[in-house]
Structures are given as structure tokens and as C-alpha cells.
Amino acid sequence: MSRFICLLSLCGLLVACGEDVNPNYQEEVADPEYFHRSVKQLTDVIVHDIFSPPVASRIYSYSSIAGYEALAAGDPNLRSLAGQIPHLEPAPAPPAQTEIAYPLAAVVAHLKVGKSLIFSEDRMDEFREQLLAEIRKVGMPAEVFDASVAYGDAVADHVIAWYDGDMYKQTRTFPKYSITDDESKWQPTPPDYMDGIEPSWMKIRPFALDSANQFQPPPPTEYSLDPNSQWMKEVMEVYEVYTGVSKEESAERQAIAQFWDCNPYVSHTVGHLMFATKKITPGGHWVNIAAIAARKADADFARTVETYAMTSMAMFDAFISCWDEKYRSKLVRPETFINRHIDQEWRPLLQTPPFPEHTSGHSVVSRACAVVLTDLYGDNFAFDDDSEEEYDLPTRSYPSFLAASEEAALSRLYGGIHYRPAIDYGVTQGEAVGNHLLQKVETRAVITEERPR
């Protein structure tokens, strides 16, 4: 009875202070759309600022981990990543005897870390102000709102201090890729002949991998000018990928290649006019697939945040593993070899990305993300992928995440930018990375039949 009287007194005080309190504010602030929208805002800024695929994976992962850790501090069903990621220390403890709306803290932590990793900070600030103003209308007490925002900021500061030690800053000063006279090695490609992107990315600290070369794939096929060699057969498969197929099959292959292009910076030259097209990165595409899956499954706030965290960690480790091999084998791209030895006028359907060929980043990253999403949502989770609609490409449908990852991998052959081994070995490499993350990291405090292991 005394507790009831105290609650009435508190409500009376809040009303007297002009604050309209909604008794269901904790449930309403746990709307997963708040987090979905925050991630989409981050994606839009990543596209605007033109981050390379590996760097974009770093932005997605640390911001998603911040949101996850802030939420896990108040959710007994979620297990902190601290200790599971060996170099991550526990987040600050929530303030004692202070009510926290942990979903709000998660959104705040995600946005603050995301802002710290991009260039267009004003875009993130404006979004945060608008979203927090919207959440205020949920009707939680001012002290709960303020304490939740403060806790989210504290977790974000903890993650920012942590990521500062991942070698990213140091690699900004490392030497660029050195071009050699060896024709089997990568050379910059048209139209911009850009330097090799992130030649030291294998030195970035991973989350679950023991080392960057833990899942080192087989080397590429031996380079050869012999017309009967295996190498030449693989080159000709790229060169003739649209030869001898029907118009319908050719159109479908082109549609697949363009759908999975995911090149954040495609340059165009029309006469004397030069301009660029910006698009999502491969990781950004899979972040959007994670959103599609969570929404289709009607995932609650916790499962939504868990989905983004696991997917982004998988892509982050996948890029480290892939880039380790890229700058070990340093293999020449099909465009360079074909122009030198087969057809000087040939151009691939897609613009060749500025880094070595082996293995295929799409193959590694897509498979790692698909493995994690399959663990979360099941083997036969069919979905419609509308990730590219805003870039004027139609929705494609898939019977499973693994099927989508297989098409993403094959798209690189259809796009004319990868040989077959880079695709096949890359899928195997990505599967190993994804499964390793699942073995090393457990997000659920209690494993249920919903997510068997």
C-alpha cells in the first residue's frame, strides 16, 4: 500500500511539474524501428562520405557493438561481448538506483560511435536531435530520459577508447602498395588508375579471428601465357562469360552483376565531363539484408540489435581475412591481363575495384554474413532484397541467405572482375570466418530452441 501511495505521489509530482508521463514508456521506446532508422542514417552518411568497403565495415561494427553493449547492460537475456572479444573490457556499469531506458541508451551509443567514425558529423547530429525529440514524445520521465542518454554516451566513449587501439590510425601512415614489373601482379586499372586500397588492412585487430591468416585460402592458379594452361582457361571464362548464352541468360547475368556491384565510387567520363556515382558497399548491402530479415521476422529490439552486431562483426573479420590474401597473392585483375594479351578494347561490365584480385571480397564477406544470419533466422529464410531500389535496380528474391551469398559471389564473374578460383575459394574462406565467429561469440545468455547450436 505504501509503495502504491509513493507511486501516486511521484505521478502527481510529475504532473504538477508539467510532465505528462506515459506508464508504458519502456515498452514504446523499445520499438526496433528506432535502431533500424539509426543504422540506415549511418549507411546514408557512409555512402555520402565515400568510405572504402573495409573502412565501412569498421564503422558498422563498432557502432553496432556500442548499441549492443548498452542494451546488454540492462537485458539479462543478452551476454556482453566483453571477454568473448578478448580485447574488449566490460562497459561502464549503469548508475545504481537510477532507472535506465536501455533501448534509448543503445540508440544513443550507436549514433555517437557512428558519428566518431565518419566525416559528415553535422548529418549525424541533426538526425540524433530529431530522433531524440521524437523519443521524448514517448512520455518517459525527464530524469529517466537524461540518465539513459548519459549512459548511452558513456558506453559510446568506452567503445571509442577501445577502437582507438585497433591499429587503424597507424595504418594511415603505412606505405602505399608498390607496383612491380611482374605482370602477374596487380596493376591500377582504368578509368582512374587508383592506388591499391588498404594494403595494410590485415594488420587491423580482428574481433574473433586469432590472426588475419587463420583461414588462409589456397593460392590462385599459377600465372601462365600458355593457351592450354589452367590459368588461361580461367581468363577465358571471364572474357567469354556472355558468349554463347541466350539473350535472356545474358540479361540475367548482367542484372545479377549490377545488383551486387556495391562499388562505393564509380567514376564516369562523358566527353570532357567527369562525375562519380555513389552506392552502398558490399557490407552495407548485407547490413540492409540484416534489416530486411529482422523486420520480416518481427524481431524485437534485442534481436534487432543482436542481428546488426553479429552481421557487422562477421563482415569486419571477413574483410581482414580477405585483404590478408589479396595483398599476399597480389594477383592481376582480368581487365589488365585481357587488355595486354587478348583484347586491348575489352572492358568488364563492372568497373574494376582498386585492389588485387584474389580472393573475391564479395565472396568472403557475403558468405560470412550469410552464415551468421542463417544462425539467427534459419536455413530457409526466404526474403525479398530491395537494397538496391534506391539506386534504380529492382528487387531480387532469394530462398535463403546462403543462396543470396552464392549469387553475390558469382556476380563478380558476371561483372568481369574476378576469376573463378577467387570466387570459390572466397566462399569457403567466408564460411570459415562466419562459423568461427559463431563458435567464439555467444550473444544469448540462454541458448533456446529458436537458435540451436
Side-chain angles (χ1 to χ4, degrees):
M1 183 65 178
S2 61
R3 179 180 298 178
F4 178 71
I5 293 173
C6 288
L7 287 172
L8 284 178
S9 300
L10 176 59
C11 290
L13 178 61
L14 292 170
V15 170
C17 293
E19 186 168 3
D20 187 11
V21 175
N22 175 3
N24 299 317
Y25 63 82
Q26 285 284 9
E27 290 79 8
E28 292 191 21
V29 78
D31 182 348
E33 283 304 314
Y34 290 129
F35 205 85
H36 282 307
R37 288 164 57 193
S38 298
V39 174
K40 181 59 169 67
Q41 173 65 17
L42 187 59
T43 291
D44 290 345
V45 174
I46 289 171
V47 171
H48 177 270
D49 288 350
I50 315 177
F51 288 101
S52 70
V55 176
S57 77
R58 182 173 181 263
I59 299 170
Y60 282 123
S61 58
Y62 283 117
S63 57
S64 295
I65 289 171
Y68 178 89
E69 287 296 290
L71 187 66
D75 189 335
N77 294 316
L78 293 180
R79 183 177 297 178
S80 171
L81 301 175
Q84 300 193 76
I85 300 175
H87 39 80
L88 174 60
E89 298 295 327
Q97 299 179 336
T98 301
E99 184 181 357
I100 300 292
Y102 288 98
L104 172 55
V107 168
V108 168
H110 175 271
L111 289 174
K112 185 171 184 178
V113 171
K115 173 187 171 180
S116 73
L117 291 164
I118 50 83
F119 302 138
S120 299
E121 296 182 354
D122 56 330
R123 290 175 176 248
M124 297 299 288
D125 284 336
E126 182 179 355
F127 177 84
R128 171 175 160 141
E129 290 176 9
Q130 292 175 350
L131 190 64
L132 292 187
E134 184 178 329
I135 293 174
R136 278 187 183 275
K137 295 178 182 178
V138 168
M140 71 176 65
E143 63 269 24
V144 176
F145 182 93
D146 292 343
S148 303
V149 170
Y151 184 62
D153 283 337
V155 174
D157 291 339
H158 173 73
V159 171
I160 290 169
W162 168 50
Y163 78 54
D164 196 50
D166 72 352
M167 288 294 290
Y168 178 79
K169 287 183 179 179
Q170 290 87 335
T171 58
R172 302 308 89 189
T173 66
F174 289 178
K176 294 182 179 180
Y177 172 82
S178 296
I179 300 172
T180 72
D181 294 331
D182 185 343
E183 286 199 352
S184 72
K185 301 306 180 186
W186 181 80
Q187 301 279 331
T189 51
D192 298 323
Y193 297 93
M194 294 174 61
D195 290 332
I197 286 178
E198 300 297 340
S200 300
W201 198 255
M202 74 293 294
K203 299 182 185 299
I204 300 294
R205 180 184 63 192
F207 293 133
L209 294 176
D210 299 330
S211 65
N213 64 356
Q214 182 175 0
F215 298 111
Q216 182 176 333
T221 301
E222 183 179 357
Y223 182 92
S224 173
L225 296 180
D226 180 350
N228 298 315
S229 66
Q230 180 61 29
W231 166 264
M232 194 63 75
K233 291 178 183 178
E234 292 164 6
V235 169
M236 294 307 295
E237 182 182 22
V238 178
Y239 182 63
E240 297 175 343
V241 73
Y242 293 101
T243 301
V245 298
S246 67
K247 290 183 178 179
E248 293 77 11
E249 177 61 22
S250 178
E252 174 66 1
R253 291 183 178 188
Q254 290 180 51
I256 290 170
Q258 290 164 345
F259 185 78
W260 291 102
D261 184 15
C262 303
N263 189 336
Y265 184 89
V266 178
S267 59
H268 307 270
T269 302
V270 180
H272 297 290
L273 177 65
M274 297 183 65
F275 63 96
T277 300
K278 301 178 183 180
K279 292 188 288 187
I280 54 175
T281 63
H285 194 138
W286 279 95
V287 164
N288 198 64
I289 291 175
I292 291 168
R295 285 187 171 115
K296 180 179 179 180
D298 197 22
D300 62 13
F301 197 97
R303 177 53 61 90
T304 296
V305 175
E306 174 190 22
T307 298
Y308 283 122
M310 291 297 290
T311 303
S312 62
M313 285 192 290
M315 80 170 72
F316 183 85
D317 276 6
F319 272 113
I320 292 173
S321 180
C322 181
W323 253 242
D324 176 66
E325 176 57 36
K326 280 186 179 295
Y327 285 96
R328 177 178 22 259
S329 55
K330 303 175 184 177
L331 187 63
V332 65
R333 286 279 185 169
E335 183 170 16
T336 304
F337 183 87
I338 291 171
N339 288 166
R340 282 175 176 168
H341 301 288
I342 299 174
D343 183 349
Q344 188 175 358
E345 302 301 321
W346 183 85
R347 291 291 179 268
L349 178 66
L350 302 181
Q351 193 168 112
T352 302
F355 36 80
E357 192 271 345
H358 191 82
T359 47
S360 155
H362 266 60
S363 303
V364 182
V365 170
S366 295
R367 195 60 163 203
C369 292
V371 165
V372 166
L373 287 168
T374 299
D375 181 74
L376 286 164
Y377 294 101
D379 290 328
N380 299 304
F381 190 95
F383 65 97
D384 298 325
D385 185 1
D386 62 358
S387 302
E388 302 291 333
E389 278 195 355
E390 61 185 297
Y391 306 106
D392 300 321
L393 293 172
T395 294
R396 294 185 67 84
S397 300
Y398 302 99
S400 67
F401 302 113
L402 295 178
S405 73
E406 289 165 3
E407 185 181 274
L410 195 56
S411 75
R412 314 318 274 166
L413 174 65
Y414 297 157
I417 58 178
H418 276 293
Y419 314 109
R420 178 75 67 169
I423 295 167
D424 294 343
Y425 299 165
V427 168
T428 301
Q429 185 180 1
E431 182 136 0
V433 171
N435 282 324
H436 183 71
L437 177 68
L438 294 176
Q439 292 167 5
K440 298 281 282 191
V441 174
E442 176 54 62
T443 50
R444 292 282 158 166
V446 177
I447 302 175
T448 65
E449 292 183 1
E450 185 181 358
R451 273 188 71 195
R453 287 288 178 86

